[in-house]
Amino acid sequence: MLSVPVFVVMLGLTRLVIGGLKSLGLATLRPLLLLQLLLLVAFFILCFSVGSHIDPSATSAILAGMLGVSAMAVQNALVQVSLKGAPATAVMTTNITRFAMDLGEVLLGRDPGDMAEARRRANHTCPAIVGFAVGCGLGAASEAAFGLLSLALPMGFALLAFAMGFAAGPAREKGP
């Protein structure tokens, strides 16, 4: 019950951060990646410090869950604001449906223009779907092998994304 309002509040707070960064002429990608990383680190530390036999109604469990929800909110805002044009990372059923429909158009379509547009969309969405599937597999294998330590995997990927953010371009927004 708490996750939806926390998600919405975190989206609002993230929007305030975005507004502040933009008013300073700063790009949003790196700071939002850092914020997501910090939330995941806090989530990991809290979960790991409590151990694997956590009471789901305990304050620490609820706080850990809300840190995870907050990280997801930042991720969603980040894709919308900092990675315009990228496939959404939170609506995989929509991405997979669009991909399947586009694949059908490419294979069975009659209009070359529609087929070319479907091919473009499918090529654009495919990396997000593959990344999601690989992430699910890695997460499941990691949890089976390492238990709670598997939470280090998304934290590590967030660190990698933050580091890759420095290759994405300048830290300042392009302006007049």
Side-chain angles (χ1 to χ4, degrees), residues 80-150:
Q80 293 290 314
V81 173
S82 303
L83 299 175
K84 290 185 190 291
T89 57
V91 289
M92 291 314 297
T93 54
T94 301
N95 285 341
I96 291 168
T97 300
R98 177 80 263 165
F99 180 81
M101 295 293 103
D102 286 338
L103 187 60
E105 181 65 30
V106 168
L107 296 174
L108 305 172
R110 299 185 190 274
D111 182 279
D114 290 346
M115 293 169 69
E117 180 60 22
R119 183 177 289 108
R120 184 200 64 75
R121 280 193 311 263
N123 287 335
H124 186 67
T125 307
C126 187
I129 295 169
V130 170
F132 177 76
V134 169
C136 287
L138 285 173
S142 178
E143 202 288 323
F146 305 110
L148 268 178
L149 274 176
S150 65

Side-chain angles (χ1 to χ4, degrees), residues 52-103:
S52 61
H53 301 292
I54 189 170
D55 173 11
S57 61
T59 303
S60 55
I62 294 168
L63 180 58
M66 295 311 100
L67 286 167
V69 165
S70 295
M72 289 189 316
V74 172
Q75 167 67 24
N76 281 274
L78 183 155
V79 172
Q80 293 290 314
V81 173
S82 303
L83 299 175
K84 290 185 190 291
T89 57
V91 289
M92 291 314 297
T93 54
T94 301
N95 285 341
I96 291 168
T97 300
R98 177 80 263 165
F99 180 81
M101 295 293 103
D102 286 338
L103 187 60

